[in-house]
Amino acid sequence: MEYYYNQFEKCRQWEKPHCTTECPFHVDILDFIEKMGRGTYNTAYKTFRNAVVFPDIVAALCPQYCTACCARNSVDEPVQVNLLEKTCVAKAKRKDPTDYNVPAKDWKIGIIGAGMSGLSCALRTASKKCQVIVYEKSDRIGGVVRDMVPEEVFTTDIERQFKYENYTLKLNTEIKDIKELENEHFDAIYVATGKGGNDFGTLNQPEGHCRMEGETAVFAGGMLTGKDPVQAMADGLDMAWAMEVFIKVGRLEYPKGVMETKVVPNPNRLKETKGPTPSDNGIYTDEEVKEETARCIRCQCDACRTDCDLVAFYNKWPLKLRDEVTATVSPSDSIIHAAPAKKLINTCSQCGQLQGSSCPSKIELCDMIMHARTELHRIGKMPYGYHQYFLEDMDHANGSFAAIKKMAPGEKSCEYAFFPGCQLGATDPRYVEKSYNWLLSKKPDTALLLRCCNIPAKWSGDEQLHKDETELLRKDWEDLGKPKLILACPTCRNQLKEALPEIETVMLYEVMNQWGIEPHGASPHEMHCIFDPCAVRGDENIKKTVRELADKAGAKWEDLPKYEQHGCCGYGGQGAVANPEYVDFVIESRVNASEHPYIAYCINCRDNFRSKGKDALHILDLFFDINDDGCSKPSLTERRRNRERLKENLLKKIWGEKMEEKPEQKMKLKISPELTEKMDKLHIIEDDICKVLELAEQLKRRVYHPDTDSYTCFRQLGYTTYWVDYRPIGENEFEILNVYNHRIEIELEMIWNGRKTDFDLR
């Protein structure tokens, strides 16, 4: 976990936008604009004042350094930050500084020059309750700036900002030699004598414009060092910081005054929008403020918030997620140990979008969360109910009712074996049947390996289970003579590459394109968008292949607006139980990416889109004429039955064999379509209901409701407790009225109807 934690040092969350870095004062312009947009002028004024110390003067003088670097320059005109500043100082009502009760310090600061650079340094150091003495050779303060702004603006701002601060001002006092100040025993001195002024030998020293005079640090800045008046004011604040550093740690460090940033503006947000012209005596009205602040695209490194579904859904920056994940998996013997991210850790769809193509620093958030799952499992804190359904589904796909490992009829060896995965046939057996028949027509020795790739075991965080299942898959492959596997599922491809890299694989769609296939389905007439699954991100070859197949089928298609950065379909990572609201959020985001129907080549993508009523086809539909309605999808129970029917059909039609072992159907259930939909959302299948009813009917452990002539019963299966409301309607025939489940364990005494029983209630 330490590796993943440390990589967040590269996170650009706190990178400042270019407007802030170009501003000499480094004003937090995003915060300022946000407050201005809300119409909270007093708080916006405080943000501005804290950065520039003399807000009215700076607003009047600012030459708008930020406009040259504004991202809007490429489409229209820059955001008028200076006009917003002028509007702010005009509209703010509470402009007095805060009178902080700060203990006095014994630091003694000398400032030579009472121009605006010297006054800025004096104000900042005085606010820290230092002893400050300012020497000015003329009879007035302000230097050249005093003549650059209206007198009332200058005088009012100076008086207001120094309202609660004490300092000593010595006018008509020219310092000709720094040694004249020896008797004052200053800790630090700032030389701000203006353009062409005396630098007392301080300029261009090895450490910068600074040197030591005995035990006193002497800094030079402002217009003396070639700065313009506004930059000189910012220099005064920088020197106040340098003085504090020297006094605290004894280090002579001259401020660089330059702030760098790695922020890259998001071009998708740049749409031409002309700004308003100020109509209220050169300042904006309230409506114009909202209009102008809305033009700012808030340049930040926020690819994670725009491209990562997990970050967007939880509305938390990655650094916050990092801290919560780390706290959750940290070892602790305390029963009240904080575990704020258990649900979040099991929500992530493991799509790799952030680290794959979005995050400029390539922070491996998905990998960190996957590692956190394994840690939760290792320390015994994984909520197993989150993954129970998926692991049971994996067991079903690998079990005797659904799995097949066979050579082609009459063959004893094979060059290829078809590995369609566990979900393709679960959606519709014809996908596997017709694909395999076509492969046999091209390569008659093609074997069949029908099972799950075991990705559910990995996603559950159970490393030992994943290792054991992977070894079983390896053995199946070796039993077939180590053939090259033809895969239909992109997720299977990635899983095999990682877990069993020695297995050579090729995608079915590549084989179809290379071996030559003719479409047998009706070509869709309307425009479709091709949806690339997250498992092929960065693989231009497979994406190109699928598009060539779509062309062969005569389909009209286009890419989604964000191409491969459109995001995940929501299936991966098994988050549907831990956080169904998140999965709904993800699917809705994807189906709304385009108004056109989709062509997918991951069956999970296709089914998820159809679950929201999105017209979606699988690429195989265009060649085998399987599903042309575009909207239907099987229930979870039907998926199990489809797998079983697929095995039975293949054994009969390909090998002429009878399926010896079939699942028993002891009960007949009557379930409404509405309740079936609810069962799918809760990941409850009819087999679960039958197990609950079996115990209830055997022990008569149920509650009768005379008003509805129905019963309620429950049973714990694995780590989940299932509840069923039902009504018997015949022998081993039941009408199911309602179902629900909890990922909890209920402890009861083994007593029912006054009798103690040793029967296992699970």
Side-chain angles (χ1 to χ4, degrees):
M1 186 59 71
E2 182 179 359
Y3 162 77
Y4 293 108
Y5 187 92
N6 291 339
Q7 69 176 319
F8 280 84
E9 294 176 0
K10 302 180 293 183
C11 180
R12 303 183 186 183
Q13 175 180 333
W14 303 115
E15 290 286 317
K16 301 298 183 183
H18 291 281
C19 51
T20 291
T21 60
E22 289 298 314
C23 172
F25 299 98
H26 306 312
V27 176
D28 189 345
I29 293 180
L30 295 184
D31 182 59
F32 174 74
I33 282 183
E34 180 185 354
K35 290 171 179 175
M36 287 294 291
R38 296 200 307 261
T40 54
Y41 301 121
N42 292 328
T43 57
Y45 181 87
K46 186 174 182 180
T47 293
F48 187 46
R49 187 263 176 196
N50 288 345
V52 305
V53 300
F54 295 111
D56 294 59
I57 295 174
V58 171
L61 287 177
C62 179
Q64 305 185 71
Y65 308 96
C66 56
T67 55
C69 63
C70 181
R72 296 209 66 88
N73 281 320
S74 63
V75 294
D76 42 50
E77 59 184 13
V79 177
Q80 300 301 307
V81 177
N82 183 238
L83 282 176
L84 291 170
E85 293 167 351
K86 291 178 178 177
T87 301
C88 179
V89 299
K91 290 179 174 288
K93 302 299 183 184
R94 297 194 299 272
K95 302 174 72 171
D96 281 356
T98 303
D99 183 15
Y100 292 107
N101 185 19
V102 179
K105 295 181 175 65
D106 59 2
W107 303 350
K108 196 170 184 180
I109 306 297
I111 299 174
I112 305 175
M116 289 309 302
S117 187
L119 290 177
S120 295
C121 184
L123 179 57
R124 181 57 57 86
T125 51
S127 68
K128 295 180 180 294
K129 307 310 177 187
C130 303
Q131 301 175 49
V132 181
I133 301 177
V134 180
Y135 302 90
E136 170 57 45
K137 70 178 182 179
S138 71
D139 61 354
R140 68 175 195 167
I141 62 174
V144 298
V145 170
R146 186 161 195 151
D147 299 325
M148 298 173 69
V149 296
E151 178 64 27
E152 63 276 12
V153 172
F154 178 86
T155 302
T156 301
D157 206 14
I158 295 293
E159 291 178 352
R160 178 185 293 122
Q161 305 311 329
F162 274 107
K163 183 175 182 179
Y164 301 116
E165 311 305 343
N166 295 315
Y167 76 106
T168 300
L169 175 61
K170 295 186 177 184
L171 297 174
N172 300 308
T173 304
E174 182 177 4
I175 305 299
K176 296 181 179 180
D177 191 325
I178 204 78
K179 295 186 182 298
E180 296 176 29
L181 304 179
E182 282 182 342
N183 293 333
E184 293 291 347
H185 301 291
F186 288 119
D187 293 292
I189 295 174
Y190 177 38
V191 180
T193 52
K195 186 177 182 180
N198 190 346
D199 71 339
F200 305 102
T202 306
L203 295 181
N204 303 314
Q205 298 299 309
E207 295 82 9
H209 304 311
C210 60
R211 67 181 180 86
M212 293 299 299
E213 178 68 33
E215 295 183 354
T216 302
V218 182
F219 299 86
M223 296 182 70
L224 175 64
T225 59
K227 306 292 178 60
D228 67 30
V230 174
Q231 291 170 333
M233 295 174 66
D235 235 20
L237 302 179
D238 289 340
M239 297 310 142
W241 170 84
M243 290 177 174
E244 184 174 357
V245 169
F246 173 76
I247 295 171
K248 284 182 175 180
V249 300
R251 185 176 73 247
L252 197 64
E253 182 175 344
Y254 194 82
K256 295 180 180 179
V258 176
M259 179 184 289
E260 297 179 350
T261 182
K262 297 178 182 178
V263 165
V264 178
N266 187 343
N268 296 325
R269 296 184 181 180
L270 285 172
K271 298 178 181 178
E272 186 173 355
T273 310
K274 293 292 183 181
T277 300
S279 58
D280 186 8
N281 294 321
I283 66 172
Y284 290 125
T285 63
D286 291 350
E287 287 302 315
E288 290 167 348
V289 166
K290 292 180 181 179
E291 189 176 345
E292 183 62 18
T293 55
R295 296 179 64 244
C296 175
I297 66 170
R298 276 62 170 177
C299 296
Q300 289 178 288
C301 185
D302 60 354
C304 52
R305 295 178 73 87
T306 58
D307 291 347
C308 176
D309 293 314
L310 191 73
V311 176
F313 178 80
Y314 279 96
N315 194 27
K316 294 178 179 179
W317 289 91
L319 291 178
K320 177 69 172 176
L321 298 182
R322 173 202 65 182
D323 293 341
E324 291 186 357
V325 169
T326 303
T328 300
V329 301
S330 296
S332 175
D333 295 329
S334 172
I335 61 173
I336 59 172
H337 172 59
K342 276 188 179 179
K343 186 174 183 179
L344 181 150
I345 289 170
N346 289 282
T347 293
C348 176
S349 57
Q350 291 294 296
C351 70
Q353 173 79 9
L354 187 63
Q355 62 205 52
S357 57
S358 295
C359 177
S361 298
K362 304 302 179 186
I363 291 175
E364 301 167 6
L365 181 61
C366 278
D367 288 352
M368 180 184 190
I369 290 176
M370 189 64 248
H371 181 72
R373 290 189 186 185
T374 63
E375 284 296 293
L376 281 179
H377 190 279
R378 183 182 63 81
I379 63 179
K381 293 185 178 180
M382 170 63 78
Y384 296 100
Y386 288 159
H387 300 281
Q388 178 176 324
Y389 167 81
F390 302 100
L391 294 177
E392 290 176 349
D393 196 56
M394 178 186 72
D395 289 342
H396 180 269
N398 292 340
S400 58
F401 298 151
I404 296 178
K405 177 186 62 178
K406 291 182 74 68
M407 292 289 183
E411 301 290 339
K412 295 183 179 180
S413 64
C414 60
E415 180 184 359
Y416 294 93
F418 185 35
F419 188 96
C422 61
Q423 299 301 323
L424 191 65
T427 291
D428 192 318
R430 291 176 295 173
Y431 281 126
V432 177
E433 292 173 18
K434 293 192 174 187
S435 295
Y436 186 48
N437 274 304
W438 178 81
L439 289 170
L440 289 174
S441 72
K442 295 292 183 177
K443 296 282 185 180
D445 66 339
T446 303
L448 179 65
L449 183 54
L450 185 59
R451 68 183 327 276
C452 178
C453 70
N454 307 322
I455 193 67
K458 177 185 177 181
W459 283 337
S460 74
D462 190 335
E463 289 185 301
Q464 187 59 50
L465 176 63
H466 182 235
K467 180 180 178 180
D468 293 343
E469 292 293 333
T470 298
E471 286 305 310
L472 291 175
L473 174 54
R474 184 202 304 275
K475 185 177 184 305
D476 285 346
W477 171 67
E478 291 174 344
D479 289 345
L480 291 174
K482 301 182 179 180
K484 187 174 185 178
L485 297 187
I486 299 174
L487 311 178
C489 173
T491 299
C492 290
R493 183 189 70 157
N494 289 357
Q495 162 69 356
L496 291 179
K497 278 186 176 181
E498 180 181 344
L500 294 168
E502 62 270 33
I503 298 181
E504 188 179 357
T505 64
V506 63
M507 292 300 294
L508 172 64
Y509 319 110
E510 295 174 295
V511 168
M512 291 167 62
N513 204 32
Q514 293 167 6
W515 293 359
I517 186 171
E518 296 297 325
H520 296 286
S523 177
H525 298 294
E526 61 182 316
M527 178 64 70
H528 281 64
C529 282
I530 294 182
F531 188 93
D532 298 297
C534 54
V536 302
R537 186 178 297 109
D539 189 337
E540 294 302 318
N541 180 62
I542 185 62
K543 288 183 281 189
K544 179 174 179 287
T545 297
V546 169
R547 284 156 176 77
E548 290 176 356
L549 286 176
D551 288 336
K552 284 184 179 180
K556 294 188 295 184
W557 61 269
E558 65 182 26
D559 291 322
L560 281 168
K562 295 180 69 176
Y563 190 43
E564 69 167 13
Q565 287 187 292
H566 49 58
C568 173
C569 75
Y571 179 85
Q574 302 172 174
V577 173
N579 200 336
E581 293 82 7
Y582 168 77
V583 174
D584 287 342
F585 165 79
V586 173
I587 300 175
E588 291 285 357
S589 299
R590 298 300 93 83
V591 301
N592 291 326
S594 173
E595 61 183 11
H596 298 308
Y598 289 167
I599 296 174
Y601 47 107
C602 168
I603 198 63
N604 298 316
C605 295
R606 193 213 72 155
D607 286 352
N608 269 2
F609 300 147
R610 289 189 172 198
S611 71
K612 296 298 181 183
K614 181 74 172 182
D615 190 350
L617 298 173
H618 193 280
I619 189 69
L620 295 178
D621 293 329
L622 306 181
F623 290 88
F624 297 127
D625 193 21
I626 297 173
N627 289 296
D628 56 5
D629 62 340
C631 294
S632 64
K633 67 179 289 288
S635 69
L636 295 183
T637 298
E638 289 170 340
R639 298 183 76 87
R640 295 276 179 93
R641 304 292 86 84
N642 282 343
R643 280 203 201 111
E644 295 159 3
R645 190 167 73 252
L646 171 62
K647 178 173 182 177
E648 186 173 16
N649 291 347
L650 287 171
L651 290 176
K652 179 179 180 181
K653 295 177 182 179
I654 303 295
W655 288 276
E657 299 177 5
K658 184 178 181 182
M659 185 171 171
E660 298 295 337
E661 189 175 359
K662 296 182 181 181
E664 291 186 72
Q665 302 291 334
K666 296 181 179 179
M667 297 181 180
K668 185 176 181 180
L669 306 182
K670 180 181 178 182
I671 304 175
S672 68
E674 294 76 18
L675 187 55
T676 298
E677 183 177 352
K678 178 182 179 181
M679 288 167 57
D680 282 356
K681 289 182 178 179
L682 296 175
H683 286 74
I684 300 174
I685 62 174
E686 291 184 16
D687 292 352
D688 299 326
I689 295 176
C690 289
K691 292 175 183 177
V692 177
L693 293 180
E694 180 182 17
L695 183 65
E697 290 294 301
Q698 181 179 348
L699 295 183
K700 303 304 180 185
R701 191 173 65 88
R702 57 192 183 177
V703 175
Y704 179 65
H705 305 286
D707 52 335
T708 58
D709 189 29
S710 65
Y711 296 92
T712 296
C713 61
F714 77 90
R715 183 177 184 179
Q716 182 180 336
L717 302 173
Y719 300 95
T720 306
T721 299
Y722 296 81
W723 302 77
V724 180
D725 293 340
Y726 71 101
R727 181 185 297 123
I729 56 176
E731 185 176 356
N732 286 329
E733 187 174 356
F734 305 91
E735 179 182 7
I736 308 304
L737 306 176
N738 197 9
V739 295
Y740 45 100
N741 56 5
H742 300 104
R743 266 72 195 180
I744 58 174
E745 180 178 353
I746 298 178
E747 294 186 2
L748 296 174
E749 285 190 86
M750 301 302 184
I751 296 177
W752 191 253
N753 289 337
R755 298 192 305 273
K756 186 172 182 178
T757 176
D758 293 329
F759 193 88
D760 187 351
L761 297 181
R762 294 177 294 179

